Amino acid sequence: MKKTLLSGIKPTGQIHLGNYFGAIKQWVDLVKSGEYESFVMIADYHALNFIQNKEEMRSLTQELVVDYLAVGLDPKEVTIFKQSDISAHTELTWIFDTLVTVPFLERAHAFKDAEAKNKEISVGTFNYPVLMASDILLYSPDVVPVGSDQKQHVEYTRDIADKFNFKFGETFKLPKEMILESVATVPGIDGQKMSKSYGNTIPLFASDEEIEKAVMSIVTDSSGDVPTNVYAIHKLLKTEEELAPIYEANKGKYKALKEALIADLKAFVGPLRARREEILANPTLVKETLEMGAKRAREVAEKKLEEAKVAIGVL
Ligand code: ADP
Ligand code: TRP
């Protein structure tokens, strides 16, 4: 019996090294292991909290599918689908909404952050963890590989599943997050968590010029021999053993070390970018991938939703 894996990303902008090393690389490796039935989602309804423009939504969604294919996710081996194609996600969210309390959702980090910024918070933002619980529980995954910032969301998912199961009988499998310690939080060019919203990213498909510009602007205010922020990114590409002679030979030479990082990043990104170009040259691939993905995802999700509807007594 194969285990099941599910994860996803919101189509809210260019993916970066943090997304890749923190989450996507794990998906690719686990899919290739052949041990999992895998589901990888484009969380477009989650993105609607941020992207409220038709053209932008459409193009960011397409781009993310191309990115998934370019990193080596093969639609024959993994179900790649769009959240909005599977209406079971929003339907199950309503069912969960009747169980989940307001104080429970008020304890979520993302909600507290938004509140601290004094923003007017939409119901969709408040309810984000409930939709994410539905995304996950419909597919009964054993593992949800994500970066550490998503840990609380998976904990919420377990709590929601537990509450449902307690009230209505065993229906949902409790999922586990899978977080690789070494890349749980990939730092950006300023040393903070790399994130689209902090403007400190190195895009996964960056051009050579973008790589040079990003690396040259890595903040190096440390006074020691090793520029910490350069080393932290370099460590994603090479082992400590491989890096030791380079950093030994260039003690305190921040420019030379940045140049070494630029060379390694170009060698890493180059083939990925070339693969992305190939996929872009085949415009029907995205459409076919999503159609195929929706078909398989729907089969699995609708079956689980039906179980939940029987359990609550509406079917
Ligand atoms: P961003 O913060 O750039 O908006 P997302 O929230 O879209 O990124 O994250 C998509 C996936 O990538 C999630 O699984 C998230 O945990 C992971 N991820 C994002 N940034 C990082 C990072 N800096 N380090 C490790 N994982 C990350
Ligand atoms: N909240 C996740 C993020 O911001 C995206 C996401 C939505 C997700 N639904 C999911 C991740 C289900 C894993 C499983 O990155």
Side-chain angles (χ1 to χ4, degrees):
M1 265 293 271
K2 281 196 178 189
K3 289 178 278 185
T4 304
L5 169 166
L6 177 131
S7 196
I9 293 187
K10 301 185 294 289
T12 49
Q14 277 187 324
I15 60 171
H16 52 72
L17 295 183
N19 302 137
Y20 180 73
F21 286 100
I24 300 172
K25 184 170 184 300
Q26 276 66 262
W27 313 347
V28 177
D29 292 345
L30 293 168
V31 169
K32 294 277 174 237
S33 78
E35 288 171 25
Y36 291 85
E37 163 151 34
S38 306
F39 296 88
V40 166
M41 201 178 61
I42 289 119
D44 55 352
Y45 272 165
H46 274 122
L48 190 57
N49 283 306
F50 307 88
I51 307 292
Q52 299 184 332
N53 172 292
K54 168 167 134 182
E55 281 77 29
E56 221 185 330
M57 177 64 86
R58 188 163 291 142
S59 75
L60 286 169
T61 301
Q62 303 271 319
E63 297 273 321
L64 188 55
V65 181
V66 175
D67 295 346
Y68 282 173
L69 298 174
V71 294
L73 293 173
D74 177 348
K76 290 195 219 66
E77 296 173 341
V78 41
T79 299
I80 299 175
F81 72 100
K82 218 167 59 174
Q83 185 182 33
S84 64
D85 276 338
I86 315 298
S87 50
H89 292 229
T90 43
E91 193 171 343
L92 183 60
T93 298
W94 176 259
I95 297 175
F96 288 155
D97 276 346
T98 65
L99 301 175
V100 164
T101 68
V102 169
F104 173 75
L105 290 180
E106 277 174 344
R107 287 194 291 271
H109 301 315
F111 170 74
K112 285 202 270 191
D113 290 350
E115 216 186 21
K117 285 184 196 139
N118 255 337
K119 279 203 222 154
E120 204 171 3
I121 297 157
S122 69
V123 174
T125 301
F126 186 59
N127 217 21
Y128 189 109
V130 186
L131 178 58
M132 183 150 160
S134 305
D135 296 340
I136 296 173
L137 296 173
L138 283 169
Y139 300 88
S140 315
D142 299 278
V143 292
V144 182
V146 282
S148 62
D149 58 353
Q150 297 299 313
K151 187 174 172 16
Q152 194 192 37
H153 283 143
V154 185
E155 288 164 1
Y156 265 63
T157 300
R158 277 198 297 277
D159 286 348
I160 293 172
D162 213 26
K163 196 162 189 186
F164 185 102
N165 290 346
F166 182 73
K167 252 203 166 93
F168 297 111
E170 207 59 32
T171 307
F172 295 107
K173 176 154 145 191
L174 270 48
K176 262 193 89 56
E177 65 276 14
M178 181 189 259
I179 298 170
L180 264 192
E181 257 340 292
S182 58
V183 284
T185 308
V186 172
I189 58 173
D190 56 357
Q192 303 218 62
K193 178 201 162 210
M194 188 179 286
S195 173
K196 272 169 277 197
S197 38
Y198 302 158
N200 63 354
T201 67
I202 301 181
L204 180 62
F205 300 97
S207 66
D208 284 354
E209 295 70 38
E210 283 173 309
I211 291 173
E212 285 162 22
K213 193 160 167 264
V215 173
M216 282 308 168
S217 47
I218 293 178
V219 179
T220 51
D221 53 4
S222 51
S223 51
D225 289 337
V226 175
T228 323
N229 294 338
V230 177
Y231 188 80
I233 296 173
H234 220 157
K235 214 158 54 113
L236 299 169
L237 307 171
K238 282 201 154 124
T239 64
E240 291 184 18
E241 292 70 36
E242 287 171 317
L243 289 177
I246 305 171
Y247 281 74
E248 185 57 37
N250 292 290
K251 270 188 188 166
K253 295 182 191 154
Y254 291 2
K255 183 149 182 289
L257 290 167
K258 281 187 171 183
E259 277 162 4
L261 174 58
I262 288 173
D264 286 336
L265 273 172
K266 283 182 182 171
F268 171 73
V269 167
L272 285 173
R273 222 174 40 222
R275 175 100 187 93
R276 198 173 190 285
E277 293 301 316
E278 275 172 37
I279 291 158
L280 278 175
N282 182 351
T284 55
L285 206 55
V286 168
K287 191 166 169 278
E288 285 166 6
T289 298
L290 290 178
E291 276 171 9
M292 212 161 87
K295 194 159 165 276
R296 174 65 188 145
R298 200 170 287 127
E299 273 169 16
V300 177
E302 284 184 351
K303 192 154 165 278
K304 186 50 82 178
L305 177 65
E306 197 176 307
E307 264 181 61
K309 288 170 81 169
V310 169
I312 60 174
V314 298
L315 262 190

